[in-house]
């Protein structure tokens, strides 16, 4: 896992998804309380081309550290504003809510 320190999030999302502990892995900002804003790497894999463009600075964030937590792995990132992470979380929650309201789709 130490070999991904320094890498950009967008280039290692698949690698993170393949880690045994990745089911409970979260991205946290280096300057924020680890409980304030967390992003599951799998959620970033769901971005469309437009989403990847909108959140390019988040995908270009750099892995600063990887540490174990009680619930899994914390991937500490930097090089992106914490507000951008908060915006992604809000947008993703709205996306999930819309999906639930639409019900099963074909």
């Amino acid at each position: 896992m130490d070999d991904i320190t320094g890498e950009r999030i967008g280039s290692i999302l698949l690698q993170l998804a393949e880690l045994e502990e990745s089911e409970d892995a979260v991205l946290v900002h280096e300057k924020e309380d680890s409980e304030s804003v967390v992003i599951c790497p799998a959620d970033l894999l769901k971005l469309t081309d437009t989403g990847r463009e909108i959140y390019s600075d988040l995908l270009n964030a750099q892995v600063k550290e990887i540490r174990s937590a009680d619930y899994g792995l914390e991937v500490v990132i930097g090089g992106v504003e914490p507000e951008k992470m908060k915006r992604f979380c809000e947008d993703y929650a709205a996306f999930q809510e819309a999906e639930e309201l639409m019900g099963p789709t074909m």
Side-chain angles (χ1 to χ4, degrees):
M1 284 187 302
D2 290 334
D3 59 331
I4 62 175
T5 301
E7 294 291 326
R8 305 264 178 227
I9 290 299
S11 66
I12 62 160
L13 280 174
L14 290 175
Q15 214 177 335
L16 281 175
E18 292 172 357
L19 290 175
E20 187 173 316
E21 306 93 335
S22 68
E23 189 173 309
D24 297 316
V26 294
L27 305 178
V28 298
H29 197 276
E30 66 182 341
K31 295 181 182 174
E32 292 285 313
D33 180 338
S34 64
E35 294 182 18
S36 60
V37 178
V38 296
I39 297 175
C40 295
D43 297 345
L44 290 172
L45 285 171
K46 297 175 186 175
L47 287 171
T48 63
D49 289 341
T50 302
R52 283 191 290 276
E53 187 175 313
I54 292 168
Y55 290 102
S56 62
D57 48 351
L58 181 55
L59 294 171
N60 285 322
Q62 193 171 39
V63 176
K64 298 292 186 174
E65 178 185 1
I66 298 174
R67 57 188 179 214
S68 293
D70 293 338
Y71 52 82
L73 293 178
E74 284 186 346
V75 180
V76 181
I77 63 173
V80 63
E81 294 296 322
E83 292 76 25
K84 192 67 165 195
M85 292 178 70
K86 288 177 188 174
R87 181 172 166 220
F88 174 82
C89 290
E90 291 166 359
D91 289 350
Y92 188 73
F95 164 77
Q96 286 182 309
E97 184 178 333
E99 235 182 20
E100 285 177 24
L101 290 173
M102 290 184 349
T105 59
M106 295 179 82

